[in-house]
Amino acid sequence: MIRTVLLAHLDSFNVKEGDRVKKGDLLGVMGNSGYVIPEAPGGTHLHVTVFDQPVSQWMWQYQIPGMGGSKKLTEEIAKLPGFLLYKGADRQRKITTEYSDIYDGGVRHWGIDLIDVGSGRPGIHWPYEFDGIVVARRDFGNGSSGRWGKALMIQADDQPREKSDGVYIVKRGDTLSKIAA
């Protein structure tokens, strides 16, 4: 299944569009833009939404359910070991906002917010056994107009296909002659 992982409220990026990410790769560092509800505005946290289909465009919160936002996949990634690391150690985390549990600016919050129980800003690492591709990276800024801070979208297929059903997933380094063979 192809999935897209949306990560928002990052302080910094460690990847760029087109990068292939593997298990354990550092994606960025948790930031403090936006709001942590019900904690306090501006706390260090990470917003996570996982879609059950390819998504490569930025969207408004209310559009997420129609774009394949998945409660099950979102809750699954939040629990994976190696997702949040600080100085090489897996961090204890707490979900402060359940998937679609609260209203944020008049619409449901289609994702979860994670806070780190320790001190410092943990790094966010690719937690899956399968690779992903960074399909979008954007700095929304801070303040009321840019409450997402820095955000990433990463697409991955947990069952990679070479050539089947007439569909081929293009990978970095592919050439026309290699694909045609």
Side-chain angles (χ1 to χ4, degrees):
M1 169 184 49
I2 296 177
R3 64 186 73 193
T4 304
V5 178
L6 168 66
L7 304 168
H9 306 299
L10 280 69
D11 182 62
S12 61
F13 297 118
N14 285 70
V15 293
K16 61 187 181 309
E17 285 183 29
D19 282 356
R20 178 175 294 278
V21 295
K22 298 181 179 304
K23 183 174 177 123
D25 285 354
L26 179 63
L27 306 173
V29 175
M30 190 181 281
N32 66 351
S33 58
Y35 300 100
V36 184
I37 301 169
E39 306 295 322
T44 300
H45 74 291
L46 176 68
H47 173 95
V48 182
T49 301
V50 181
F51 300 87
D52 60 6
Q53 62 186 7
V55 176
S56 57
Q57 67 185 48
W58 298 108
M59 76 294 297
W60 295 102
Q61 282 278 355
Y62 72 88
Q63 294 174 302
I64 289 175
M67 297 176 86
S70 168
K71 180 179 195 292
K72 178 181 177 235
L73 293 174
T74 299
E75 290 172 346
E76 171 190 284
I77 193 174
K79 297 173 186 163
L80 290 174
F83 186 39
L84 300 180
L85 297 175
Y86 186 69
K87 296 185 178 178
D90 204 17
R91 293 303 287 254
Q92 193 175 27
R93 56 206 91 149
K94 175 182 168 189
I95 295 174
T96 62
T97 306
E98 297 292 334
Y99 192 94
S100 75
D101 188 44
I102 64 148
Y103 283 93
D104 178 13
V107 296
R108 288 277 188 192
H109 190 269
W110 301 104
I112 59 174
D113 286 340
L114 291 173
I115 62 170
D116 175 42
V117 176
S119 60
R121 293 191 178 177
I124 300 142
H125 297 258
W126 187 247
Y128 295 117
E129 295 293 333
F130 44 88
D131 296 353
I133 300 286
V134 179
V135 294
R137 177 183 121 153
R138 185 165 174 187
D139 187 345
F140 288 91
N142 286 316
S144 60
S145 63
R147 289 186 15 213
W148 281 27
K150 293 176 174 62
L152 289 171
M153 277 196 282
I154 302 170
Q155 279 182 15
D157 190 345
D158 61 3
Q159 299 172 354
R161 298 175 295 273
E162 289 298 318
K163 294 179 182 177
S164 65
D165 303 330
V167 176
Y168 180 79
I169 308 296
V170 177
K171 297 181 287 295
R172 182 180 284 184
D174 279 348
T175 62
L176 288 176
S177 59
K178 186 175 170 184
I179 293 170

